[in-house]
């Protein structure tokens, strides 16, 4: 034995057992490695990694090359790294969409991106729908929470008008899910269209000016292998959001004012009652659709335990971002030089979600290089189309590499804010399954705490990829850095600044040590999920467990 080896052995003998165990459990995570991944993915040459773009394809190949270097097993189509997805992309035609209200005060027309935001319908490229209106409160139904907004209302063949969001006092994650399901509820009652109206709470969280910024974004949906575009509410032919002038026209002659409705909705438990309106609307919108493709990138690390290796834990992060912002047209009659020709329009997505992908890759490296492999198998999923509506994750959850019944849990990494030395994590969805205690226990030795959702008004639970696994009955959480130790200010500044903006690039003061620490936390969490004797379980009588996995084994909370 060499002198160096003797020294190492002697050192190991005098170290506390807990320290040697922790060293074995926690590989070294390098801030430089996290930075290198993000620097590549956020480079201007990738032009913001938009779904279906060349930049996203380059990013996908980068991730696949990392998986290959680690000698992971391809989990895509036909033994490849890539799960190719066909998307239907729908853009607005040159003719502006319009919404015309007819009622006691005559007819008044509104143009898209003014005081209305008119949705497109790829199934009807020359949409022209006229129907009477019915106000349906929040437009929600759920016996568990005493919601029955359609009671006594006839909406068959009509267009419903709903308040955005859900009643105050409803649990935020359950409320977010119900709110995201309004179109299906309206369709079930025979409605053919939906108009949405802001509440005091929703308008504060998402002002009209912010909504208009994304008015001309194309619509995307995935296309099934047999060629059918996916649409959960195909019976809802027309949709639009209303600003106050359009809303006032819609409520002309109504027995209750919009102000009174909003005042009632702003109370805890406030549920404004629905009624037939005295107005009708005509919605016209022309659109053009095309097919594009974009891949998920999937790798599998086989488990080491013969009894557990056929169970899979998914660690996911979205690879796409929003691409290059278009040049804003110069409005006629508006003075000024307009935008400079050299203005930065590349939305690099360094933190959203280069940082999430970098975390996943570092966890994959640590897992693959560990001499003690995880007991359950691990699926590493770099999804596409998240910014288009969680589409890549939805497609994968419906067309997984292994039977969905064998996927026992999912942790999703989306936009970890690596701008400060975080001391807490937010695990959106943690209250619904044993993943909450698993996450809390895994990160406790790092001095990291688990905090509740600090921004329920943003309905984060339904806005990241883990939600699509939840809808397939899989316990899942979405992990983000928390509000403690300067996090609240960092989150506020980012969401009001660099978020979905060219400023989310490598020029930010990113704390790369926080990146290495976030990777370590997720390694510990994923490892705990993979190694425990019992897989993650929904809690008994949990809303999501009962709704999406009614026959699954449950745990006592």
């Amino acid at each position: 034995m060499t002198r160096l080896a003797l020294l190492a052995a002697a050192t190991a003998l005098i170290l506390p057992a807990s320290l040697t165990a922790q060293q074995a459990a926690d590989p070294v995570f390098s801030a430089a490695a996290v930075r290198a991944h993000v620097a590549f993915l956020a480079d201007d040459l990738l032009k913001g990694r938009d779904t279906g773009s060349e930049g996203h394809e380059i990013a996908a190949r980068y991730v696949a090359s990392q998986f290959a270097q680690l000698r992971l097993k391809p989990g895509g189509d036909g033994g490849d790294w890539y799960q190719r997805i066909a998307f239907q992309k729908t853009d607005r035609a040159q003719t502006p969409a319009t919404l015309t209200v007819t009622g006691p005060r005559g007819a008044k027309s509104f143009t898209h991106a003014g005081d209305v935001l008119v949705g497109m319908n790829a199934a009807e490229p020359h949409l022209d729908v006229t129907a009477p209106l019915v106000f349906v409160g929040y437009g929600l139904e759920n016996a568990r929470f005493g919601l029955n907004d359609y009671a006594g209302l006839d909406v068959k063949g009509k267009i419903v008008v709903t308040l955005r969001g859900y009643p105050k006092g409803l649990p935020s994650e359950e409320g977010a899910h119900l709110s995201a399901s309004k179109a299906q509820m309206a369709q079930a009652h025979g409605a053919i269209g939906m108009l949405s109206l802001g509440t005091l709470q929703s308008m504060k969280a998402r002002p009209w000016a912010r909504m208009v910024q994304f008015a001309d974004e194309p619509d995307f949906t995935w296309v099934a292998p047999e060629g059918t575009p996916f649409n959960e509410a195909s019976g809802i032919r027309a949709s639009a959001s209303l600003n106050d002038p359009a809303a006032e026209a819609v409520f002309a002659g109504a027995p209750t004012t919009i102000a009174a409705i909003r005042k009632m909705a702003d109370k805890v438990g406030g549920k404004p009652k629905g009624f037939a309106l005295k107005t009708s609307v005509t919605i016209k919108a022309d659109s053009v659709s095309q097919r594009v493709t974009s891949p998920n990138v999937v790798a599998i690390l086989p488990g080491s335990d013969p009894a557990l290796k056929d169970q899979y834990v998914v660690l996911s992060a979205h690879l796409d971002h929003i691409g290059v912002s278009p040049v804003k047209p110069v409005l006629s009659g508006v003075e000024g030089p307009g935008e400079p020709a050299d203005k930065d329009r590349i939305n690099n997505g360094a933190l959203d979600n280069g940082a999430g992908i970098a975390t996943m890759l570092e966890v994959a490296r640590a897992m693959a290089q560990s001499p003690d492999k995880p007991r359950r198998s691990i699926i590493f999923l770099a999804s596409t189309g998240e910014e288009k509506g969680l589409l890549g994750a939805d497609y994968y959850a419906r067309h997984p590499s292994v039977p969905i019944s064998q996927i026992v849990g999912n942790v999703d990494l989306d936009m970890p804010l690596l701008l400060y030395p975080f001391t807490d994590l937010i695990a959106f969805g943690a209250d619904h399954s044993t993943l909450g205690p698993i996450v809390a226990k895994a990160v406790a030795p790092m001095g990291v705490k688990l905090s509740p959702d600090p921004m329920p008004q943003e309905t984060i639970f339904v806005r990241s990829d883990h939600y699509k696994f939840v809808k397939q009955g899989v316990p899942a959480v979405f992990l983000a850095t928390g509000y403690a130790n300067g996090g609240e200010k960092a989150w506020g500044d980012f969401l009001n600044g660099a978020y979905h903006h060219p400023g989310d690039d490598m020029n930010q003061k990113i704390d790369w040590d926080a990146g290495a620490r976030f990777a370590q936390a997720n390694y510990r969490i994923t490892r705990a999920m993979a190694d425990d004797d019992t897989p993650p379980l929904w809690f008994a009588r949990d809303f999501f467990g009962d709704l999406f996995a009614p026959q699954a084994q449950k745990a006592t909370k």
Side-chain angles (χ1 to χ4, degrees), residues 59-90:
R61 280 157 177 73
Y62 177 81
V63 171
S65 72
Q66 298 294 314
F67 288 157
Q69 182 181 8
L70 296 172
R71 298 184 179 180
L72 300 177
K73 177 183 174 183
D77 302 325
D80 200 355
W81 299 108
Y82 310 108
Q83 182 186 47
R84 285 276 163 197
I85 307 173
F87 292 98
Q88 179 171 268
K89 177 185 178 183
T90 303

PDB file of all heavy atoms in Angstrom, residues 59-90:
ATOM      1  N   ALA A  59     -29.971  22.218 -29.273  1.00  0.00           N
ATOM      2  CA  ALA A  59     -30.029  21.967 -27.837  1.00  0.00           C
ATOM      3  C   ALA A  59     -30.353  20.503 -27.547  1.00  0.00           C
ATOM      4  O   ALA A  59     -29.777  19.892 -26.635  1.00  0.00           O
ATOM      5  CB  ALA A  59     -31.064  22.880 -27.190  1.00  0.00           C
ATOM      6  N   ALA A  60     -31.265  19.926 -28.315  1.00  0.00           N
ATOM      7  CA  ALA A  60     -31.636  18.523 -28.122  1.00  0.00           C
ATOM      8  C   ALA A  60     -30.447  17.599 -28.373  1.00  0.00           C
ATOM      9  O   ALA A  60     -30.227  16.629 -27.644  1.00  0.00           O
ATOM     10  CB  ALA A  60     -32.795  18.161 -29.044  1.00  0.00           C
ATOM     11  N   ARG A  61     -29.668  17.927 -29.378  1.00  0.00           N
ATOM     12  CA  ARG A  61     -28.485  17.109 -29.671  1.00  0.00           C
ATOM     13  C   ARG A  61     -27.433  17.250 -28.570  1.00  0.00           C
ATOM     14  O   ARG A  61     -26.719  16.288 -28.247  1.00  0.00           O
ATOM     15  CB  ARG A  61     -27.921  17.481 -31.039  1.00  0.00           C
ATOM     16  CG  ARG A  61     -28.702  16.820 -32.181  1.00  0.00           C
ATOM     17  CD  ARG A  61     -28.555  17.569 -33.499  1.00  0.00           C
ATOM     18  NE  ARG A  61     -29.241  16.880 -34.581  1.00  0.00           N
ATOM     19  CZ  ARG A  61     -30.563  16.837 -34.732  1.00  0.00           C
ATOM     20  NH1 ARG A  61     -31.340  17.439 -33.860  1.00  0.00           N
ATOM     21  NH2 ARG A  61     -31.128  16.195 -35.749  1.00  0.00           N
ATOM     22  N   TYR A  62     -27.334  18.441 -28.002  1.00  0.00           N
ATOM     23  CA  TYR A  62     -26.406  18.636 -26.888  1.00  0.00           C
ATOM     24  C   TYR A  62     -26.797  17.746 -25.714  1.00  0.00           C
ATOM     25  O   TYR A  62     -25.954  17.057 -25.129  1.00  0.00           O
ATOM     26  CB  TYR A  62     -26.408  20.109 -26.467  1.00  0.00           C
ATOM     27  CG  TYR A  62     -25.534  20.390 -25.264  1.00  0.00           C
ATOM     28  CD1 TYR A  62     -24.159  20.543 -25.396  1.00  0.00           C
ATOM     29  CD2 TYR A  62     -26.082  20.500 -23.986  1.00  0.00           C
ATOM     30  CE1 TYR A  62     -23.351  20.796 -24.292  1.00  0.00           C
ATOM     31  CE2 TYR A  62     -25.290  20.751 -22.878  1.00  0.00           C
ATOM     32  CZ  TYR A  62     -23.922  20.899 -23.039  1.00  0.00           C
ATOM     33  OH  TYR A  62     -23.120  21.144 -21.943  1.00  0.00           O
ATOM     34  N   VAL A  63     -28.077  17.757 -25.365  1.00  0.00           N
ATOM     35  CA  VAL A  63     -28.541  16.946 -24.244  1.00  0.00           C
ATOM     36  C   VAL A  63     -28.337  15.466 -24.548  1.00  0.00           C
ATOM     37  O   VAL A  63     -27.871  14.701 -23.693  1.00  0.00           O
ATOM     38  CB  VAL A  63     -30.025  17.249 -23.935  1.00  0.00           C
ATOM     39  CG1 VAL A  63     -30.582  16.258 -22.919  1.00  0.00           C
ATOM     40  CG2 VAL A  63     -30.170  18.672 -23.418  1.00  0.00           C
ATOM     41  N   ALA A  64     -28.670  15.050 -25.770  1.00  0.00           N
ATOM     42  CA  ALA A  64     -28.481  13.645 -26.140  1.00  0.00           C
ATOM     43  C   ALA A  64     -27.013  13.242 -26.055  1.00  0.00           C
ATOM     44  O   ALA A  64     -26.689  12.128 -25.617  1.00  0.00           O
ATOM     45  CB  ALA A  64     -29.023  13.400 -27.546  1.00  0.00           C
ATOM     46  N   SER A  65     -26.108  14.137 -26.458  1.00  0.00           N
ATOM     47  CA  SER A  65     -24.673  13.811 -26.395  1.00  0.00           C
ATOM     48  C   SER A  65     -24.216  13.649 -24.946  1.00  0.00           C
ATOM     49  O   SER A  65     -23.358  12.810 -24.647  1.00  0.00           O
ATOM     50  CB  SER A  65     -23.857  14.900 -27.097  1.00  0.00           C
ATOM     51  OG  SER A  65     -23.826  16.104 -26.344  1.00  0.00           O
ATOM     52  N   GLN A  66     -24.797  14.438 -24.042  1.00  0.00           N
ATOM     53  CA  GLN A  66     -24.472  14.289 -22.619  1.00  0.00           C
ATOM     54  C   GLN A  66     -24.970  12.941 -22.099  1.00  0.00           C
ATOM     55  O   GLN A  66     -24.261  12.250 -21.359  1.00  0.00           O
ATOM     56  CB  GLN A  66     -25.098  15.433 -21.816  1.00  0.00           C
ATOM     57  CG  GLN A  66     -24.597  16.822 -22.178  1.00  0.00           C
ATOM     58  CD  GLN A  66     -23.131  17.024 -21.843  1.00  0.00           C
ATOM     59  OE1 GLN A  66     -22.668  16.669 -20.766  1.00  0.00           O
ATOM     60  NE2 GLN A  66     -22.377  17.592 -22.789  1.00  0.00           N
ATOM     61  N   PHE A  67     -26.178  12.568 -22.487  1.00  0.00           N
ATOM     62  CA  PHE A  67     -26.714  11.269 -22.076  1.00  0.00           C
ATOM     63  C   PHE A  67     -25.848  10.130 -22.626  1.00  0.00           C
ATOM     64  O   PHE A  67     -25.561   9.156 -21.915  1.00  0.00           O
ATOM     65  CB  PHE A  67     -28.143  11.105 -22.592  1.00  0.00           C
ATOM     66  CG  PHE A  67     -29.178  11.948 -21.886  1.00  0.00           C
ATOM     67  CD1 PHE A  67     -30.371  12.268 -22.517  1.00  0.00           C
ATOM     68  CD2 PHE A  67     -28.975  12.403 -20.597  1.00  0.00           C
ATOM     69  CE1 PHE A  67     -31.339  13.018 -21.879  1.00  0.00           C
ATOM     70  CE2 PHE A  67     -29.934  13.164 -19.942  1.00  0.00           C
ATOM     71  CZ  PHE A  67     -31.123  13.476 -20.586  1.00  0.00           C
ATOM     72  N   ALA A  68     -25.438  10.270 -23.882  1.00  0.00           N
ATOM     73  CA  ALA A  68     -24.620   9.220 -24.494  1.00  0.00           C
ATOM     74  C   ALA A  68     -23.272   9.085 -23.795  1.00  0.00           C
ATOM     75  O   ALA A  68     -22.774   7.967 -23.578  1.00  0.00           O
ATOM     76  CB  ALA A  68     -24.421   9.519 -25.983  1.00  0.00           C
ATOM     77  N   GLN A  69     -22.669  10.209 -23.443  1.00  0.00           N
ATOM     78  CA  GLN A  69     -21.382  10.193 -22.757  1.00  0.00           C
ATOM     79  C   GLN A  69     -21.490   9.460 -21.418  1.00  0.00           C
ATOM     80  O   GLN A  69     -20.535   8.801 -20.978  1.00  0.00           O
ATOM     81  CB  GLN A  69     -20.892  11.626 -22.553  1.00  0.00           C
ATOM     82  CG  GLN A  69     -19.524  11.722 -21.896  1.00  0.00           C
ATOM     83  CD  GLN A  69     -19.087  13.166 -21.698  1.00  0.00           C
ATOM     84  OE1 GLN A  69     -19.857  14.092 -21.918  1.00  0.00           O
ATOM     85  NE2 GLN A  69     -17.850  13.358 -21.292  1.00  0.00           N
ATOM     86  N   LEU A  70     -22.645   9.564 -20.783  1.00  0.00           N
ATOM     87  CA  LEU A  70     -22.866   8.911 -19.491  1.00  0.00           C
ATOM     88  C   LEU A  70     -23.276   7.446 -19.636  1.00  0.00           C
ATOM     89  O   LEU A  70     -23.496   6.756 -18.643  1.00  0.00           O
ATOM     90  CB  LEU A  70     -23.946   9.671 -18.701  1.00  0.00           C
ATOM     91  CG  LEU A  70     -23.590  11.103 -18.306  1.00  0.00           C
ATOM     92  CD1 LEU A  70     -24.791  11.807 -17.709  1.00  0.00           C
ATOM     93  CD2 LEU A  70     -22.419  11.116 -17.331  1.00  0.00           C
ATOM     94  N   ARG A  71     -23.392   6.998 -20.883  1.00  0.00           N
ATOM     95  CA  ARG A  71     -23.760   5.622 -21.203  1.00  0.00           C
ATOM     96  C   ARG A  71     -25.127   5.239 -20.626  1.00  0.00           C
ATOM     97  O   ARG A  71     -25.347   4.123 -20.161  1.00  0.00           O
ATOM     98  CB  ARG A  71     -22.676   4.641 -20.720  1.00  0.00           C
ATOM     99  CG  ARG A  71     -21.327   4.869 -21.396  1.00  0.00           C
ATOM    100  CD  ARG A  71     -20.296   3.840 -20.973  1.00  0.00           C
ATOM    101  NE  ARG A  71     -19.025   4.074 -21.656  1.00  0.00           N
ATOM    102  CZ  ARG A  71     -17.927   3.329 -21.486  1.00  0.00           C
ATOM    103  NH1 ARG A  71     -17.967   2.299 -20.639  1.00  0.00           N
ATOM    104  NH2 ARG A  71     -16.822   3.604 -22.133  1.00  0.00           N
ATOM    105  N   LEU A  72     -26.024   6.203 -20.692  1.00  0.00           N
ATOM    106  CA  LEU A  72     -27.397   5.916 -20.332  1.00  0.00           C
ATOM    107  C   LEU A  72     -28.084   5.180 -21.484  1.00  0.00           C
ATOM    108  O   LEU A  72     -27.547   5.091 -22.583  1.00  0.00           O
ATOM    109  CB  LEU A  72     -28.144   7.218 -20.012  1.00  0.00           C
ATOM    110  CG  LEU A  72     -27.576   8.045 -18.856  1.00  0.00           C
ATOM    111  CD1 LEU A  72     -28.367   9.341 -18.695  1.00  0.00           C
ATOM    112  CD2 LEU A  72     -27.580   7.257 -17.559  1.00  0.00           C
ATOM    113  N   LYS A  73     -29.263   4.687 -21.238  1.00  0.00           N
ATOM    114  CA  LYS A  73     -30.015   3.936 -22.241  1.00  0.00           C
ATOM    115  C   LYS A  73     -30.992   4.884 -22.943  1.00  0.00           C
ATOM    116  O   LYS A  73     -31.753   5.586 -22.284  1.00  0.00           O
ATOM    117  CB  LYS A  73     -30.781   2.797 -21.566  1.00  0.00           C
ATOM    118  CG  LYS A  73     -31.653   1.980 -22.493  1.00  0.00           C
ATOM    119  CD  LYS A  73     -32.419   0.929 -21.689  1.00  0.00           C
ATOM    120  CE  LYS A  73     -33.418   0.187 -22.574  1.00  0.00           C
ATOM    121  NZ  LYS A  73     -34.208  -0.789 -21.778  1.00  0.00           N
ATOM    122  N   PRO A  74     -30.992   4.932 -24.288  1.00  0.00           N
ATOM    123  CA  PRO A  74     -31.958   5.801 -24.979  1.00  0.00           C
ATOM    124  C   PRO A  74     -33.398   5.403 -24.637  1.00  0.00           C
ATOM    125  O   PRO A  74     -33.730   4.217 -24.572  1.00  0.00           O
ATOM    126  CB  PRO A  74     -31.652   5.558 -26.463  1.00  0.00           C
ATOM    127  CG  PRO A  74     -30.248   5.058 -26.496  1.00  0.00           C
ATOM    128  CD  PRO A  74     -30.083   4.253 -25.241  1.00  0.00           C
ATOM    129  N   GLY A  75     -34.260   6.419 -24.440  1.00  0.00           N
ATOM    130  CA  GLY A  75     -35.654   6.153 -24.093  1.00  0.00           C
ATOM    131  C   GLY A  75     -36.640   6.754 -25.068  1.00  0.00           C
ATOM    132  O   GLY A  75     -37.831   6.878 -24.752  1.00  0.00           O
ATOM    133  N   GLY A  76     -36.151   7.120 -26.258  1.00  0.00           N
ATOM    134  CA  GLY A  76     -37.037   7.723 -27.255  1.00  0.00           C
ATOM    135  C   GLY A  76     -37.610   6.703 -28.216  1.00  0.00           C
ATOM    136  O   GLY A  76     -37.770   5.521 -27.891  1.00  0.00           O
ATOM    137  N   ASP A  77     -37.904   7.155 -29.429  1.00  0.00           N
ATOM    138  CA  ASP A  77     -38.520   6.294 -30.440  1.00  0.00           C
ATOM    139  C   ASP A  77     -37.498   5.327 -31.026  1.00  0.00           C
ATOM    140  O   ASP A  77     -36.389   5.734 -31.382  1.00  0.00           O
ATOM    141  CB  ASP A  77     -39.114   7.137 -31.576  1.00  0.00           C
ATOM    142  CG  ASP A  77     -40.154   8.130 -31.082  1.00  0.00           C
ATOM    143  OD1 ASP A  77     -40.880   7.785 -30.126  1.00  0.00           O
ATOM    144  OD2 ASP A  77     -40.240   9.232 -31.661  1.00  0.00           O
ATOM    145  N   GLY A  78     -37.865   4.067 -31.140  1.00  0.00           N
ATOM    146  CA  GLY A  78     -37.058   3.095 -31.863  1.00  0.00           C
ATOM    147  C   GLY A  78     -35.638   2.971 -31.372  1.00  0.00           C
ATOM    148  O   GLY A  78     -34.713   2.818 -32.178  1.00  0.00           O
ATOM    149  N   GLY A  79     -35.420   3.062 -30.066  1.00  0.00           N
ATOM    150  CA  GLY A  79     -34.068   2.934 -29.533  1.00  0.00           C
ATOM    151  C   GLY A  79     -33.223   4.173 -29.708  1.00  0.00           C
ATOM    152  O   GLY A  79     -31.989   4.118 -29.563  1.00  0.00           O
ATOM    153  N   ASP A  80     -33.855   5.321 -29.987  1.00  0.00           N
ATOM    154  CA  ASP A  80     -33.145   6.590 -30.164  1.00  0.00           C
ATOM    155  C   ASP A  80     -33.304   7.427 -28.895  1.00  0.00           C
ATOM    156  O   ASP A  80     -34.066   7.096 -27.990  1.00  0.00           O
ATOM    157  CB  ASP A  80     -33.737   7.332 -31.371  1.00  0.00           C
ATOM    158  CG  ASP A  80     -32.799   8.391 -31.919  1.00  0.00           C
ATOM    159  OD1 ASP A  80     -31.741   8.623 -31.312  1.00  0.00           O
ATOM    160  OD2 ASP A  80     -33.140   9.014 -32.948  1.00  0.00           O
ATOM    161  N   TRP A  81     -32.574   8.541 -28.846  1.00  0.00           N
ATOM    162  CA  TRP A  81     -32.702   9.473 -27.724  1.00  0.00           C
ATOM    163  C   TRP A  81     -33.938  10.337 -27.861  1.00  0.00           C
ATOM    164  O   TRP A  81     -34.410  10.912 -26.872  1.00  0.00           O
ATOM    165  CB  TRP A  81     -31.478  10.392 -27.639  1.00  0.00           C
ATOM    166  CG  TRP A  81     -30.186   9.680 -27.418  1.00  0.00           C
ATOM    167  CD1 TRP A  81     -29.179   9.514 -28.330  1.00  0.00           C
ATOM    168  CD2 TRP A  81     -29.740   9.029 -26.218  1.00  0.00           C
ATOM    169  NE1 TRP A  81     -28.145   8.812 -27.786  1.00  0.00           N
ATOM    170  CE2 TRP A  81     -28.456   8.496 -26.479  1.00  0.00           C
ATOM    171  CE3 TRP A  81     -30.282   8.850 -24.960  1.00  0.00           C
ATOM    172  CZ2 TRP A  81     -27.719   7.798 -25.532  1.00  0.00           C
ATOM    173  CZ3 TRP A  81     -29.567   8.156 -23.994  1.00  0.00           C
ATOM    174  CH2 TRP A  81     -28.297   7.634 -24.284  1.00  0.00           C
ATOM    175  N   TYR A  82     -34.479  10.461 -29.075  1.00  0.00           N
ATOM    176  CA  TYR A  82     -35.498  11.461 -29.361  1.00  0.00           C
ATOM    177  C   TYR A  82     -36.892  10.839 -29.478  1.00  0.00           C
ATOM    178  O   TYR A  82     -37.080   9.829 -30.152  1.00  0.00           O
ATOM    179  CB  TYR A  82     -35.170  12.204 -30.661  1.00  0.00           C
ATOM    180  CG  TYR A  82     -33.756  12.714 -30.707  1.00  0.00           C
ATOM    181  CD1 TYR A  82     -32.812  12.116 -31.530  1.00  0.00           C
ATOM    182  CD2 TYR A  82     -33.358  13.779 -29.897  1.00  0.00           C
ATOM    183  CE1 TYR A  82     -31.502  12.567 -31.554  1.00  0.00           C
ATOM    184  CE2 TYR A  82     -32.051  14.235 -29.922  1.00  0.00           C
ATOM    185  CZ  TYR A  82     -31.118  13.623 -30.746  1.00  0.00           C
ATOM    186  OH  TYR A  82     -29.827  14.065 -30.760  1.00  0.00           O
ATOM    187  N   GLN A  83     -37.842  11.468 -28.828  1.00  0.00           N
ATOM    188  CA  GLN A  83     -39.254  11.153 -29.049  1.00  0.00           C
ATOM    189  C   GLN A  83     -39.802  12.285 -29.908  1.00  0.00           C
ATOM    190  O   GLN A  83     -40.080  13.385 -29.439  1.00  0.00           O
ATOM    191  CB  GLN A  83     -40.025  11.062 -27.731  1.00  0.00           C
ATOM    192  CG  GLN A  83     -41.495  10.699 -27.912  1.00  0.00           C
ATOM    193  CD  GLN A  83     -42.277  10.754 -26.615  1.00  0.00           C
ATOM    194  OE1 GLN A  83     -42.181  11.710 -25.847  1.00  0.00           O
ATOM    195  NE2 GLN A  83     -43.066   9.711 -26.350  1.00  0.00           N
ATOM    196  N   ARG A  84     -39.930  12.015 -31.195  1.00  0.00           N
ATOM    197  CA  ARG A  84     -40.356  13.044 -32.142  1.00  0.00           C
ATOM    198  C   ARG A  84     -41.850  13.306 -31.995  1.00  0.00           C
ATOM    199  O   ARG A  84     -42.661  12.388 -31.995  1.00  0.00           O
ATOM    200  CB  ARG A  84     -40.072  12.605 -33.577  1.00  0.00           C
ATOM    201  CG  ARG A  84     -38.616  12.697 -33.965  1.00  0.00           C
ATOM    202  CD  ARG A  84     -38.277  14.105 -34.416  1.00  0.00           C
ATOM    203  NE  ARG A  84     -36.824  14.327 -34.421  1.00  0.00           N
ATOM    204  CZ  ARG A  84     -36.280  15.530 -34.458  1.00  0.00           C
ATOM    205  NH1 ARG A  84     -37.046  16.593 -34.472  1.00  0.00           N
ATOM    206  NH2 ARG A  84     -34.974  15.670 -34.458  1.00  0.00           N
ATOM    207  N   ILE A  85     -42.213  14.588 -31.886  1.00  0.00           N
ATOM    208  CA  ILE A  85     -43.611  14.977 -31.740  1.00  0.00           C
ATOM    209  C   ILE A  85     -43.995  15.893 -32.894  1.00  0.00           C
ATOM    210  O   ILE A  85     -43.293  16.859 -33.194  1.00  0.00           O
ATOM    211  CB  ILE A  85     -43.855  15.704 -30.406  1.00  0.00           C
ATOM    212  CG1 ILE A  85     -43.338  14.867 -29.229  1.00  0.00           C
ATOM    213  CG2 ILE A  85     -45.343  16.003 -30.216  1.00  0.00           C
ATOM    214  CD1 ILE A  85     -43.400  15.600 -27.895  1.00  0.00           C
ATOM    215  N   ALA A  86     -45.106  15.576 -33.533  1.00  0.00           N
ATOM    216  CA  ALA A  86     -45.670  16.476 -34.543  1.00  0.00           C
ATOM    217  C   ALA A  86     -46.583  17.470 -33.824  1.00  0.00           C
ATOM    218  O   ALA A  86     -47.397  17.078 -32.976  1.00  0.00           O
ATOM    219  CB  ALA A  86     -46.456  15.691 -35.584  1.00  0.00           C
ATOM    220  N   PHE A  87     -46.420  18.737 -34.147  1.00  0.00           N
ATOM    221  CA  PHE A  87     -47.260  19.781 -33.574  1.00  0.00           C
ATOM    222  C   PHE A  87     -48.056  20.474 -34.676  1.00  0.00           C
ATOM    223  O   PHE A  87     -47.565  20.646 -35.796  1.00  0.00           O
ATOM    224  CB  PHE A  87     -46.412  20.837 -32.856  1.00  0.00           C
ATOM    225  CG  PHE A  87     -45.744  20.348 -31.613  1.00  0.00           C
ATOM    226  CD1 PHE A  87     -44.418  19.943 -31.637  1.00  0.00           C
ATOM    227  CD2 PHE A  87     -46.428  20.292 -30.425  1.00  0.00           C
ATOM    228  CE1 PHE A  87     -43.790  19.495 -30.492  1.00  0.00           C
ATOM    229  CE2 PHE A  87     -45.812  19.833 -29.255  1.00  0.00           C
ATOM    230  CZ  PHE A  87     -44.489  19.436 -29.303  1.00  0.00           C
ATOM    231  N   GLN A  88     -49.257  20.853 -34.351  1.00  0.00           N
ATOM    232  CA  GLN A  88     -50.031  21.734 -35.226  1.00  0.00           C
ATOM    233  C   GLN A  88     -49.843  23.160 -34.711  1.00  0.00           C
ATOM    234  O   GLN A  88     -50.214  23.470 -33.576  1.00  0.00           O
ATOM    235  CB  GLN A  88     -51.507  21.362 -35.212  1.00  0.00           C
ATOM    236  CG  GLN A  88     -52.361  22.263 -36.101  1.00  0.00           C
ATOM    237  CD  GLN A  88     -53.770  21.745 -36.226  1.00  0.00           C
ATOM    238  OE1 GLN A  88     -54.092  20.990 -37.136  1.00  0.00           O
ATOM    239  NE2 GLN A  88     -54.623  22.125 -35.299  1.00  0.00           N
ATOM    240  N   LYS A  89     -49.243  24.000 -35.542  1.00  0.00           N
ATOM    241  CA  LYS A  89     -48.981  25.392 -35.198  1.00  0.00           C
ATOM    242  C   LYS A  89     -49.973  26.271 -35.954  1.00  0.00           C
ATOM    243  O   LYS A  89     -50.085  26.187 -37.175  1.00  0.00           O
ATOM    244  CB  LYS A  89     -47.546  25.764 -35.574  1.00  0.00           C
ATOM    245  CG  LYS A  89     -47.184  27.223 -35.328  1.00  0.00           C
ATOM    246  CD  LYS A  89     -45.772  27.526 -35.837  1.00  0.00           C
ATOM    247  CE  LYS A  89     -45.410  28.978 -35.636  1.00  0.00           C
ATOM    248  NZ  LYS A  89     -44.069  29.293 -36.196  1.00  0.00           N
ATOM    249  N   THR A  90     -50.694  27.100 -35.216  1.00  0.00           N
ATOM    250  CA  THR A  90     -51.722  27.940 -35.818  1.00  0.00           C
ATOM    251  C   THR A  90     -51.397  29.409 -35.586  1.00  0.00           C
ATOM    252  O   THR A  90     -51.233  29.844 -34.436  1.00  0.00           O
ATOM    253  CB  THR A  90     -53.114  27.612 -35.241  1.00  0.00           C
ATOM    254  OG1 THR A  90     -53.390  26.227 -35.440  1.00  0.00           O
ATOM    255  CG2 THR A  90     -54.194  28.441 -35.911  1.00  0.00           C
TER     256      THR A  90
END
